[in-house]
Amino acid sequence: MKKEIVIDVQSSEIAIALLQDERVVEFTREESKNSCLVGNVYVGTVRKIMPGLNAAFVDIGGEKEAFLHVLDLGSNFHIINAFLNQILDNRKKVPSLSALKALDLTPVDKNANIADALKNGQRVLVQVIKEPISTKGARVTCEISLAGRNLVMIPYFNKITVSQKIESKEERLRLRRLVQSIKVDDSGIIIRTVAEGKKVAALDKELKVLTKRWETAIQNIQKLQGNGLVLEEVNRIETILRDVLSPDFENIYVNNENVYNEICDYVTLIAPDCRGAVKLYDGELPIFDHFAITKQIKSLFGRTVSFKRGAYLIIEKTEAMTVIDVNSGNRSRSSEGQEENALAVNLAAAEEIAHQIRLRDIGGIIVIDFIDLMVAENRQLLLDRMVELMQDDRARHNILPLSKFCLMQITRHRVRPAISVDVEETCPTCFGKGKAMPSILFTDQLEEKIEYWSQEKKERKLVIQVHPYIAAYINQGFFSLRRKWSFRYKVNIKIQPIQSLGFLQYQILNKKKEVLKIDE
């Protein structure tokens, strides 16, 4: 299976697409000015205890107060709380784990009341585990952890655990011994699955980086006055690379030189064998157009998603859940009967639904209305197929058996809002008014702009970006419109098809690739 990552860096946003066999399977997009909060560590103040929810609201310096449930305090809360209190009391001294354990503090029980552990005005050290969504603030935990590619470091928790996905007892024992020989006394370590087969030098190098990050957090706590950020998670690009990068990734394309250099440095640190896969894209077409990602996004993010032989899905998002309806459409009926036909459609739908859930990063409750199946064995076959298809999903999820009405419920861990892409375009000629200039005059309007920029502004090279259909029309034939314009106005003209442009929308660029204002 061919795996690639394509990163489109623009001045206002960064978009990342994960491809498998040239098909987009994961997509994320965020504004450059808005960084992801998940993983950030804050010093906050408890503002309100909610006994009915057994939770508290914590001011971490943002617009909305964060939500802290009693189950998110963690068994190590008493140690972290004592650590923070001592740091705030004496900002020049960092307490050791042995000194904190000597205080003989009582661990927080899972069945405890939040009011027994926290009080209004108390300072707490928390980490964001879920982004603010809709009207809700971020969700936070007191179980602080610093994630690397091979290891996860847990401050003030002197224990080593190994991922259950590493099945070999000999390998588990080897890794445990290696980490025991290099770890510091005041931290615990979780050994991730990707660490299997790694040598001690790679693990030691990563652990030193994580230790340095924690030391930076301590220094920021010592300097901090009031509530605020003390440790920022790595950026979204590095987070994805850290979690998904493996030797079977063939290419990582990025269209920005500065980001390219950052990725090279980061990949060299976490996976030196993959350094050669990082490539700087400098083609003339937009990077997403070049890799046919723009077209896929426009076809995959709509309310209606078609799949095999005319069948389609209807995807509706509500405040409480996401509902997916499976329709057979005009799919030809199977000669074997209605049950077999419904099973075939449902199995094909399951494949597309698993793809859509991962692609849109749909979280929370997902209800799927499959076509009715009367045979219990067929419902079990559909359930098994969905479980198999969701195995590659990195988000925690739970799939419940189908009901007698052939409804399937899936719960999926949601840490940020689901990706939403508006696939509908406002008419670039009438701007929603319903009336526009005659389309037959479009090329005349374009020629007027070419004449203006070549004759009055003396531009000798122009790049005309238009919809692919318009580009094909302008370039058709030996004596094409492009050749006629070039000869008539003595200017080098290149027609560039851009998939993201509307049908009668265009842009004109000069030789420096600067967009020329159309209204001039």
Side-chain angles (χ1 to χ4, degrees):
M1 180 180 292
K2 183 180 179 181
K3 294 184 178 181
E4 296 175 305
I5 295 176
V6 181
I7 303 170
D8 181 19
V9 182
Q10 302 295 334
S11 58
S12 59
E13 67 177 22
I14 296 176
I16 308 168
L18 176 62
L19 278 62
Q20 290 182 358
D21 292 332
E22 300 182 354
R23 186 189 189 198
V24 180
V25 294
E26 286 189 28
F27 178 72
T28 183
R29 183 179 65 186
E30 58 187 39
E31 296 180 7
S32 300
K33 62 181 180 181
N34 294 336
S35 60
C36 177
L37 298 183
V38 174
N40 288 357
V41 180
Y42 296 84
V43 171
T45 303
V46 177
R47 292 303 184 197
K48 189 183 298 182
I49 303 293
M50 304 294 289
L53 299 174
N54 210 10
F57 287 99
V58 181
D59 178 11
I60 58 175
E63 295 181 3
K64 300 175 183 177
E65 293 178 345
F67 180 80
L68 174 63
H69 193 269
V70 68
L71 295 178
D72 293 320
L73 293 178
S75 59
N76 203 38
F77 171 72
H78 61 293
I79 295 290
I80 292 295
N81 188 48
F83 155 76
L84 178 63
N85 290 334
Q86 291 197 20
I87 285 284
L88 296 178
D89 290 340
N90 185 355
R91 296 178 183 269
K92 295 183 179 180
K93 183 179 179 181
V94 179
S96 64
L97 179 60
S98 57
L100 294 174
K101 284 188 173 182
L103 298 176
D104 194 25
L105 300 169
T106 304
V108 177
D109 188 82
K110 290 184 178 180
N111 299 319
N113 292 322
I114 192 76
D116 296 333
L118 298 175
K119 60 183 179 180
N120 289 331
Q122 180 177 340
R123 306 292 293 279
V124 288
L125 188 66
V126 295
Q127 186 170 31
V128 176
I129 56 175
K130 182 184 289 187
E131 291 274 351
I133 297 175
S134 185
T135 59
K136 301 176 182 177
R139 181 160 183 169
V140 295
T141 178
C142 291
E143 295 185 284
I144 310 300
S145 62
L146 282 69
R149 177 167 171 79
N150 302 296
L151 307 172
V152 178
M153 175 182 167
I154 306 176
Y156 293 105
F157 190 72
N158 195 10
K159 187 177 180 180
I160 299 175
T161 57
V162 184
S163 169
Q164 295 295 324
K165 293 183 180 180
I166 300 178
E167 298 178 354
S168 170
K169 293 183 178 179
E170 293 78 10
E171 179 63 10
R172 292 170 65 87
L173 181 60
R174 184 189 76 88
L175 290 171
R176 188 181 292 273
R177 287 175 175 172
L178 287 182
V179 172
Q180 183 65 50
S181 67
I182 61 176
K183 87 173 193 71
V184 295
D185 294 334
D186 288 352
S187 66
I189 301 294
I190 299 175
I191 303 174
R192 305 181 72 176
T193 308
V194 72
E196 187 172 8
K198 293 293 191 299
K199 297 182 179 179
V200 66
L203 300 178
D204 183 49
K205 184 178 181 181
E206 182 171 297
L207 185 56
K208 287 179 179 177
V209 173
L210 297 177
T211 303
K212 181 65 177 177
R213 293 193 66 219
W214 176 241
E215 291 173 352
T216 301
I218 293 176
Q219 294 171 3
N220 291 335
I221 294 173
Q222 293 171 327
K223 298 175 184 177
L224 186 67
Q225 300 296 329
N227 304 323
L229 178 69
V230 295
L231 184 64
E232 188 171 12
E233 177 63 293
V234 294
N235 62 49
R236 185 76 179 130
I237 296 175
E238 294 181 357
T239 300
I240 291 177
L241 291 176
R242 181 188 68 196
D243 293 341
V244 307
L245 190 61
S246 59
D248 57 348
F249 269 88
E250 296 187 15
N251 300 297
I252 302 171
Y253 295 102
V254 60
N255 61 347
N256 181 282
E257 188 172 0
N258 292 331
V259 177
Y260 165 78
N261 292 329
E262 292 176 8
I263 292 175
C264 287
D265 294 340
Y266 187 69
V267 170
T268 302
L269 176 65
I270 66 170
D273 295 341
C274 299
R275 170 63 181 81
V278 185
K279 298 179 175 64
L280 177 63
Y281 174 79
D282 58 357
E284 295 183 350
L285 284 176
I287 187 169
F288 273 11
D289 284 12
H290 178 79
F291 291 100
I293 296 173
T294 303
K295 185 177 180 180
Q296 290 190 57
I297 291 173
K298 286 184 176 292
S299 65
L300 291 172
F301 276 91
R303 176 177 177 269
T304 302
V305 179
S306 300
F307 56 102
K308 296 181 179 178
R309 298 182 183 178
Y312 61 95
L313 307 174
I314 301 292
I315 302 176
E316 294 278 8
K317 186 179 184 305
T318 70
E319 185 69 21
M321 66 185 71
T322 300
V323 181
I324 303 176
D325 184 33
V326 179
N327 294 273
S328 58
N330 58 1
R331 187 182 188 276
S332 60
R333 297 291 177 182
S334 170
S335 59
E336 298 181 1
Q338 181 179 351
E339 181 76 9
E340 288 71 20
N341 183 71
L343 178 61
V345 173
N346 284 340
L347 290 175
E351 183 174 346
E352 184 59 37
I353 289 169
H355 177 222
Q356 287 288 327
I357 289 173
R358 187 179 175 191
L359 177 68
R360 302 187 188 210
D361 198 16
I362 302 174
I365 300 173
I366 306 165
V367 178
I368 306 167
D369 182 11
F370 284 104
I371 300 173
D372 288 349
L373 294 172
M374 303 304 173
V375 181
E377 288 79 3
N378 289 339
R379 292 198 293 269
Q380 184 62 43
L381 181 64
L382 179 58
L383 173 64
D384 294 342
R385 179 57 175 162
M386 180 59 78
V387 172
E388 179 187 352
L389 291 167
M390 293 286 286
Q391 285 180 348
D392 291 336
D393 193 343
R394 292 181 287 117
R396 296 197 309 270
H397 60 271
N398 183 33
I399 304 174
L400 301 182
L402 281 85
S403 71
K404 64 179 181 179
F405 302 111
C406 222
L407 294 175
M408 177 182 288
Q409 298 177 64
I410 300 176
T411 59
R412 186 173 182 270
H413 188 220
R414 175 169 57 185
V415 297
R416 60 183 57 85
I419 295 293
S420 177
V421 176
D422 188 3
V423 297
E424 295 182 347
E425 300 173 351
T426 300
C427 176
T429 53
C430 74
F431 300 101
K433 295 177 181 179
K435 294 183 179 180
M437 64 174 288
S439 57
I440 194 68
L441 301 180
F442 175 73
T443 53
D444 294 342
Q445 181 188 19
L446 200 56
E447 184 177 358
E448 290 176 2
K449 298 298 180 183
I450 293 173
E451 181 182 10
Y452 169 78
W453 285 107
S454 62
Q455 304 304 303
E456 295 192 29
K457 296 297 184 180
K458 306 302 181 183
E459 293 285 350
R460 301 268 57 89
K461 183 176 181 180
L462 296 174
V463 177
I464 314 297
Q465 295 182 337
V466 291
H467 187 277
Y469 289 173
I470 301 298
Y473 174 75
I474 294 175
N475 282 321
Q476 71 175 344
F478 181 78
F479 293 106
S480 64
L481 282 175
R482 183 190 65 82
R483 287 179 179 270
K484 292 177 181 177
W485 292 340
S486 295
F487 180 77
R488 184 177 301 164
Y489 301 112
K490 303 297 188 294
V491 59
N492 186 348
I493 298 175
K494 181 173 184 178
I495 305 300
Q496 197 173 77
I498 303 295
Q499 297 175 10
S500 59
L501 292 179
F503 187 63
L504 297 181
Q505 192 176 9
Y506 65 94
Q507 289 188 142
I508 301 178
L509 284 64
N510 60 17
K511 63 180 180 181
K512 297 180 181 179
K513 297 184 179 181
E514 299 170 335
V515 177
L516 303 175
K517 292 183 180 180
I518 295 175
D519 58 351
E520 287 192 22

PDB file of all heavy atoms in Angstrom, residues 97-113:
ATOM      1  N   LEU A  97      10.831  13.543  43.688  1.00  0.00           N
ATOM      2  CA  LEU A  97       9.748  12.593  43.877  1.00  0.00           C
ATOM      3  C   LEU A  97       9.801  11.980  45.265  1.00  0.00           C
ATOM      4  O   LEU A  97       8.767  11.792  45.923  1.00  0.00           O
ATOM      5  CB  LEU A  97       9.821  11.501  42.812  1.00  0.00           C
ATOM      6  CG  LEU A  97       8.761  10.394  42.886  1.00  0.00           C
ATOM      7  CD1 LEU A  97       7.363  10.974  42.752  1.00  0.00           C
ATOM      8  CD2 LEU A  97       9.000   9.337  41.815  1.00  0.00           C
ATOM      9  N   SER A  98      11.003  11.658  45.733  1.00  0.00           N
ATOM     10  CA  SER A  98      11.131  11.049  47.059  1.00  0.00           C
ATOM     11  C   SER A  98      10.647  12.001  48.147  1.00  0.00           C
ATOM     12  O   SER A  98      10.010  11.591  49.123  1.00  0.00           O
ATOM     13  CB  SER A  98      12.592  10.649  47.319  1.00  0.00           C
ATOM     14  OG  SER A  98      13.443  11.788  47.193  1.00  0.00           O
ATOM     15  N   ALA A  99      10.930  13.300  47.979  1.00  0.00           N
ATOM     16  CA  ALA A  99      10.479  14.286  48.966  1.00  0.00           C
ATOM     17  C   ALA A  99       8.964  14.407  48.973  1.00  0.00           C
ATOM     18  O   ALA A  99       8.337  14.553  50.026  1.00  0.00           O
ATOM     19  CB  ALA A  99      11.117  15.639  48.680  1.00  0.00           C
ATOM     20  N   LEU A 100       8.346  14.330  47.792  1.00  0.00           N
ATOM     21  CA  LEU A 100       6.896  14.413  47.704  1.00  0.00           C
ATOM     22  C   LEU A 100       6.233  13.161  48.273  1.00  0.00           C
ATOM     23  O   LEU A 100       5.200  13.237  48.939  1.00  0.00           O
ATOM     24  CB  LEU A 100       6.470  14.610  46.249  1.00  0.00           C
ATOM     25  CG  LEU A 100       6.893  15.937  45.603  1.00  0.00           C
ATOM     26  CD1 LEU A 100       6.537  15.957  44.121  1.00  0.00           C
ATOM     27  CD2 LEU A 100       6.240  17.117  46.313  1.00  0.00           C
ATOM     28  N   LYS A 101       6.838  12.000  48.019  1.00  0.00           N
ATOM     29  CA  LYS A 101       6.275  10.766  48.562  1.00  0.00           C
ATOM     30  C   LYS A 101       6.373  10.722  50.079  1.00  0.00           C
ATOM     31  O   LYS A 101       5.546  10.097  50.753  1.00  0.00           O
ATOM     32  CB  LYS A 101       6.992   9.553  47.951  1.00  0.00           C
ATOM     33  CG  LYS A 101       6.559   9.243  46.527  1.00  0.00           C
ATOM     34  CD  LYS A 101       7.158   7.935  46.063  1.00  0.00           C
ATOM     35  CE  LYS A 101       6.588   7.535  44.693  1.00  0.00           C
ATOM     36  NZ  LYS A 101       7.126   6.243  44.236  1.00  0.00           N
ATOM     37  N   ALA A 102       7.371  11.386  50.614  1.00  0.00           N
ATOM     38  CA  ALA A 102       7.548  11.408  52.069  1.00  0.00           C
ATOM     39  C   ALA A 102       6.417  12.150  52.774  1.00  0.00           C
ATOM     40  O   ALA A 102       6.241  12.015  53.994  1.00  0.00           O
ATOM     41  CB  ALA A 102       8.894  12.045  52.424  1.00  0.00           C
ATOM     42  N   LEU A 103       5.651  12.934  52.017  1.00  0.00           N
ATOM     43  CA  LEU A 103       4.522  13.662  52.615  1.00  0.00           C
ATOM     44  C   LEU A 103       3.368  12.729  52.960  1.00  0.00           C
ATOM     45  O   LEU A 103       2.435  13.127  53.675  1.00  0.00           O
ATOM     46  CB  LEU A 103       4.030  14.738  51.640  1.00  0.00           C
ATOM     47  CG  LEU A 103       5.045  15.826  51.279  1.00  0.00           C
ATOM     48  CD1 LEU A 103       4.454  16.764  50.227  1.00  0.00           C
ATOM     49  CD2 LEU A 103       5.456  16.623  52.516  1.00  0.00           C
ATOM     50  N   ASP A 104       3.406  11.490  52.454  1.00  0.00           N
ATOM     51  CA  ASP A 104       2.383  10.479  52.774  1.00  0.00           C
ATOM     52  C   ASP A 104       0.980  10.997  52.457  1.00  0.00           C
ATOM     53  O   ASP A 104       0.078  10.982  53.303  1.00  0.00           O
ATOM     54  CB  ASP A 104       2.490  10.061  54.249  1.00  0.00           C
ATOM     55  CG  ASP A 104       1.680   8.793  54.526  1.00  0.00           C
ATOM     56  OD1 ASP A 104       1.455   8.022  53.576  1.00  0.00           O
ATOM     57  OD2 ASP A 104       1.256   8.596  55.679  1.00  0.00           O
ATOM     58  N   LEU A 105       0.810  11.467  51.223  1.00  0.00           N
ATOM     59  CA  LEU A 105      -0.481  12.005  50.802  1.00  0.00           C
ATOM     60  C   LEU A 105      -1.416  10.863  50.376  1.00  0.00           C
ATOM     61  O   LEU A 105      -0.976   9.864  49.818  1.00  0.00           O
ATOM     62  CB  LEU A 105      -0.288  12.981  49.637  1.00  0.00           C
ATOM     63  CG  LEU A 105       0.606  14.187  49.948  1.00  0.00           C
ATOM     64  CD1 LEU A 105       0.936  14.921  48.667  1.00  0.00           C
ATOM     65  CD2 LEU A 105      -0.087  15.109  50.932  1.00  0.00           C
ATOM     66  N   THR A 106      -2.690  11.036  50.607  1.00  0.00           N
ATOM     67  CA  THR A 106      -3.684  10.014  50.270  1.00  0.00           C
ATOM     68  C   THR A 106      -4.065  10.139  48.799  1.00  0.00           C
ATOM     69  O   THR A 106      -4.485  11.213  48.358  1.00  0.00           O
ATOM     70  CB  THR A 106      -4.938  10.169  51.137  1.00  0.00           C
ATOM     71  OG1 THR A 106      -4.551  10.126  52.509  1.00  0.00           O
ATOM     72  CG2 THR A 106      -5.929   9.051  50.835  1.00  0.00           C
ATOM     73  N   PRO A 107      -3.951   9.042  48.026  1.00  0.00           N
ATOM     74  CA  PRO A 107      -4.343   9.110  46.621  1.00  0.00           C
ATOM     75  C   PRO A 107      -5.837   9.393  46.468  1.00  0.00           C
ATOM     76  O   PRO A 107      -6.635   9.077  47.348  1.00  0.00           O
ATOM     77  CB  PRO A 107      -3.989   7.709  46.091  1.00  0.00           C
ATOM     78  CG  PRO A 107      -3.004   7.153  47.069  1.00  0.00           C
ATOM     79  CD  PRO A 107      -3.369   7.744  48.395  1.00  0.00           C
ATOM     80  N   VAL A 108      -6.193   9.986  45.320  1.00  0.00           N
ATOM     81  CA  VAL A 108      -7.594  10.287  45.050  1.00  0.00           C
ATOM     82  C   VAL A 108      -8.293   9.018  44.579  1.00  0.00           C
ATOM     83  O   VAL A 108      -7.861   8.371  43.627  1.00  0.00           O
ATOM     84  CB  VAL A 108      -7.723  11.387  43.977  1.00  0.00           C
ATOM     85  CG1 VAL A 108      -9.188  11.629  43.651  1.00  0.00           C
ATOM     86  CG2 VAL A 108      -7.059  12.659  44.463  1.00  0.00           C
ATOM     87  N   ASP A 109      -9.368   8.655  45.252  1.00  0.00           N
ATOM     88  CA  ASP A 109     -10.148   7.482  44.870  1.00  0.00           C
ATOM     89  C   ASP A 109     -11.047   7.811  43.684  1.00  0.00           C
ATOM     90  O   ASP A 109     -11.561   8.926  43.573  1.00  0.00           O
ATOM     91  CB  ASP A 109     -10.997   7.008  46.055  1.00  0.00           C
ATOM     92  CG  ASP A 109     -11.679   5.683  45.761  1.00  0.00           C
ATOM     93  OD1 ASP A 109     -11.033   4.634  45.916  1.00  0.00           O
ATOM     94  OD2 ASP A 109     -12.851   5.712  45.354  1.00  0.00           O
ATOM     95  N   LYS A 110     -11.261   6.829  42.803  1.00  0.00           N
ATOM     96  CA  LYS A 110     -12.096   7.063  41.627  1.00  0.00           C
ATOM     97  C   LYS A 110     -13.542   7.389  41.992  1.00  0.00           C
ATOM     98  O   LYS A 110     -14.255   8.035  41.237  1.00  0.00           O
ATOM     99  CB  LYS A 110     -12.059   5.843  40.704  1.00  0.00           C
ATOM    100  CG  LYS A 110     -10.713   5.647  40.018  1.00  0.00           C
ATOM    101  CD  LYS A 110     -10.767   4.488  39.037  1.00  0.00           C
ATOM    102  CE  LYS A 110      -9.437   4.326  38.327  1.00  0.00           C
ATOM    103  NZ  LYS A 110      -9.467   3.192  37.354  1.00  0.00           N
ATOM    104  N   ASN A 111     -13.969   6.901  43.150  1.00  0.00           N
ATOM    105  CA  ASN A 111     -15.345   7.138  43.588  1.00  0.00           C
ATOM    106  C   ASN A 111     -15.464   8.348  44.508  1.00  0.00           C
ATOM    107  O   ASN A 111     -16.515   8.561  45.123  1.00  0.00           O
ATOM    108  CB  ASN A 111     -15.887   5.894  44.292  1.00  0.00           C
ATOM    109  CG  ASN A 111     -15.927   4.683  43.379  1.00  0.00           C
ATOM    110  OD1 ASN A 111     -16.295   4.798  42.214  1.00  0.00           O
ATOM    111  ND2 ASN A 111     -15.539   3.530  43.901  1.00  0.00           N
ATOM    112  N   ALA A 112     -14.399   9.128  44.610  1.00  0.00           N
ATOM    113  CA  ALA A 112     -14.412  10.281  45.515  1.00  0.00           C
ATOM    114  C   ALA A 112     -15.295  11.400  44.966  1.00  0.00           C
ATOM    115  O   ALA A 112     -15.619  11.438  43.774  1.00  0.00           O
ATOM    116  CB  ALA A 112     -12.992  10.792  45.717  1.00  0.00           C
ATOM    117  N   ASN A 113     -15.653  12.312  45.832  1.00  0.00           N
ATOM    118  CA  ASN A 113     -16.369  13.514  45.427  1.00  0.00           C
ATOM    119  C   ASN A 113     -15.357  14.582  45.057  1.00  0.00           C
ATOM    120  O   ASN A 113     -14.323  14.730  45.719  1.00  0.00           O
ATOM    121  CB  ASN A 113     -17.279  14.009  46.545  1.00  0.00           C
ATOM    122  CG  ASN A 113     -18.421  13.051  46.801  1.00  0.00           C
ATOM    123  OD1 ASN A 113     -18.971  12.475  45.868  1.00  0.00           O
ATOM    124  ND2 ASN A 113     -18.774  12.860  48.076  1.00  0.00           N
TER     125      ASN A 113
END
